[in-house]
Amino acid sequence: PVENGSRPGDRIEEMLQTWNAIRDLNRRLVADDVLCNLRLCSEWVELAQQLYMQVNGPGGLPLSGRSKQGHLDPLRYGIHMFSDLAEIDLSTDK
């Protein structure tokens, strides 16, 4: 519904929206190289951080609680933990 903006009207719609977003991101990021994939994921998280700062910054639009960047830290942490456990070095200087 329009009154909800991009927020789905119910839990099923929200799950479908999330699944579609993950599917789209996966299509854009997947390569045959795991290291490349992880680096791309990290880059996209950092790009998202920059975009949130631009939108919510001076002259931008204040974001609602559900539209803020709070979910980016858990994504960073997940990528970091996965790479550590898999013994994958994400540093770009190699």
Side-chain angles (χ1 to χ4, degrees):
V2 175
E3 66 269 10
N4 290 335
S6 64
R7 182 177 179 180
D10 62 31
R11 189 75 173 139
I12 292 173
E13 287 180 26
E14 184 173 7
M15 289 177 4
L16 288 174
Q17 183 183 52
T18 301
W19 178 255
N20 287 331
I22 292 169
R23 182 186 62 193
D24 184 55
L25 184 62
N26 191 42
R27 284 182 182 154
R28 294 171 190 238
L29 295 179
V30 171
D32 290 335
D33 182 347
V34 172
L35 177 59
C36 178
N37 288 340
L38 288 171
R39 284 183 177 161
L40 284 171
C41 284
S42 291
E43 288 173 18
W44 278 51
V45 169
E46 296 312 313
L47 176 60
Q49 177 73 44
Q50 293 171 16
L51 292 172
Y52 275 115
M53 290 172 60
Q54 287 176 5
V55 169
N56 204 34
L61 302 171
L63 299 172
S64 69
R66 287 181 58 98
S67 298
K68 292 189 178 180
Q69 63 217 25
H71 60 284
L72 297 178
D73 286 336
L75 287 172
R76 277 190 200 95
Y77 179 75
I79 292 167
H80 172 76
M81 287 303 297
F82 177 84
S83 63
D84 279 355
L85 291 171
E87 299 179 359
I88 297 171
D89 184 4
L90 289 181
S91 63
T92 56
D93 44 315
K94 286 194 172 194

